[in-house]
């Protein structure tokens, strides 16, 4: 899982293998789903997509494939782009009421005429496997049990399963989105990290990020983070995923430039990306166990 390499005489870091760690988590979930089946309990996720955004279709397809792999039943609702908010809310109300549905996922982004916050709020918090409902976020904030947003939960697993200690470490998060930056900060705090959240208005960003023992980058700007932002020996987690001018996948971190100065780093692809779906499977399983 951890590779030490040498390139041009420079020491290369531990490459945090999200593909292997996500496969391990999915296999653990699969085993527990099978054990539940033996007790006559099944797990079922309802996946709703509104419109035909190609990236969303790929994500939704991958979520359904992961469900099939771990033995979770998935119900698919593909609604046209012009679906009204009222219609979507009424489908969610119907799924909230169905005992056999354990989790509900509405793929984001939604078309502009639909209020995303209203949709998220309409999902029963007991079925909120994305962890986006204000009740789930509030529970995370005050250290109570509840669903946790999948990408940051996956990052904690990447760190723990790669043997990287969080307690007492200077953890710096770049980005303050509701899906990644904010829950990431709360999770690192829960693990006893010393946490700073930076964003587009942060002054002297490099001076701040250079303090990080663990740097989580979720800014949405391809290749922005070069070694000038990184302390020697830091752990760097790259949440970004983009296509560069050669149509190659890349992250928010300039991997070639940063890798030689850090102690561990996630690649793109094969780092954080696969963890999101693995943690969704974990959350679906726990929707039955909770
Ligand atoms: N769109 C991009 N990421 C996500 C996610 O994690 N969940 C949902 N529902 N939509 C997304």
């Amino acid at each position: 899982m951890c590779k030490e390499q040498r390139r041009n005489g420079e020491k290369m870091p531990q490459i945090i293998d999200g593909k292997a760690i996500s496969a391990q988590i999915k296999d653990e979930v699969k085993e527990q789903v099978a054990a539940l089946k033996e007790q006559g309990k099944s797990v079922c996720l309802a996946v709703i997509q509104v419109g035909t955004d190609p990236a969303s279709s790929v994500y939704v397809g991958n979520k359904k494939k992961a469900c099939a792999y771990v033995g979770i039943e998935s119900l698919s609702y593909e609604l046209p782009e012009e679906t009204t908010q009222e219609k979507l809310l009424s489908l969610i109300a119907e799924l909230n009421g169905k005992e056999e549905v354990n989790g509900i996922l509405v793929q984001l982004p939604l078309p502009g005429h639909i209020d995303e916050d209203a949709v998220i709020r309409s999902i029963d918090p007991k079925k909120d496997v994305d962890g986006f409902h204000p009740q789930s976020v509030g529970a995370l904030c005050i250290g109570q049990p509840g669903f946790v947003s999948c990408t940051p939960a996956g990052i904690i697993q990447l760190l723990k399963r790669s043997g990287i200690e969080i307690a007492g470490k200077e953890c710096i998060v770049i980005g303050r989105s509701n899906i990644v930056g904010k829950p990431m900060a709360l999770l690192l705090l829960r693990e006893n990290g010393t946490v700073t959240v930076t964003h587009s208005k942060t002054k002297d960003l490099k001076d701040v990020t250079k303090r990080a023992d663990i740097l989580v980058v979720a800014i949405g700007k391809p290749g922005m983070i070069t070694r000038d932002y990184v302390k020697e020996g830091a752990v760097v987690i790259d949440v970004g995923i983009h296509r560069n001018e050669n149509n190659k996948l890349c992250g928010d971190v300039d991997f070639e430039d940063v890798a030689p100065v850090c102690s561990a780093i996630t690649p793109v692809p094969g780092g954080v990306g696969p963890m999101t779906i693995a943690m969704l499977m974990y959350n679906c399983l726990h929707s039955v166990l909770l």
Side-chain angles (χ1 to χ4, degrees), residues 98-160:
K98 280 195 173 165
E99 209 177 312
E100 66 275 23
V101 172
N102 309 103
I104 301 171
L105 181 146
V106 181
Q107 186 65 27
L108 304 178
L110 288 166
H113 64 278
I114 298 178
D115 175 355
E116 256 174 33
D117 290 336
V119 170
I120 290 168
R121 276 198 309 273
S122 76
I123 296 171
D124 181 340
K126 291 196 284 302
K127 301 189 179 189
D128 174 37
V129 286
D130 257 328
F132 295 167
H133 192 285
Q135 188 170 312
S136 307
V137 180
L140 172 62
C141 197
I142 58 172
Q144 290 188 355
F147 292 109
V148 176
S149 180
C150 300
T151 301
I155 291 170
I156 295 292
Q157 288 302 313
L158 283 180
L159 293 170
K160 287 190 168 176

Side-chain angles (χ1 to χ4, degrees), residues 34-57:
L36 281 176
K37 275 207 182 118
E38 293 207 341
Q39 301 166 28
K41 289 184 200 157
S42 58
V43 188
C44 173
L45 170 68
V47 180
I48 304 172
Q49 183 182 356
V50 184
T52 53
D53 172 62
S56 289
S57 300

Side-chain angles (χ1 to χ4, degrees), residues 202-214:
T202 298
K203 291 208 172 71
D204 305 318
L205 181 63
K206 284 181 190 169
D207 293 343
V208 181
T209 59
K210 276 213 144 192
R211 296 204 314 256
D213 299 313
I214 298 173

Side-chain angles (χ1 to χ4, degrees), residues 157-177:
Q157 288 302 313
L158 283 180
L159 293 170
K160 287 190 168 176
R161 291 176 189 238
S162 301
I164 295 162
E165 174 95 22
I166 303 169
K169 295 285 173 65
E170 185 92 43
C171 304
I172 313 242
V173 179
I174 316 183
R176 55 174 158 182
S177 72

Side-chain angles (χ1 to χ4, degrees), residues 25-35 68-71 285:
I25 292 172
K26 281 190 281 185
D27 284 338
E28 290 165 11
V29 171
K30 184 177 180 170
E31 238 176 66
Q32 293 188 64
V33 170
Y69 178 77
V70 302
L285 167 66

Side-chain angles (χ1 to χ4, degrees), residues 86-106:
E86 194 187 2
K87 193 99 192 258
L88 177 57
L89 292 178
S90 105
L91 171 61
I92 293 169
E94 184 190 323
L95 295 169
N96 281 340
K98 280 195 173 165
E99 209 177 312
E100 66 275 23
V101 172
N102 309 103
I104 301 171
L105 181 146
V106 181

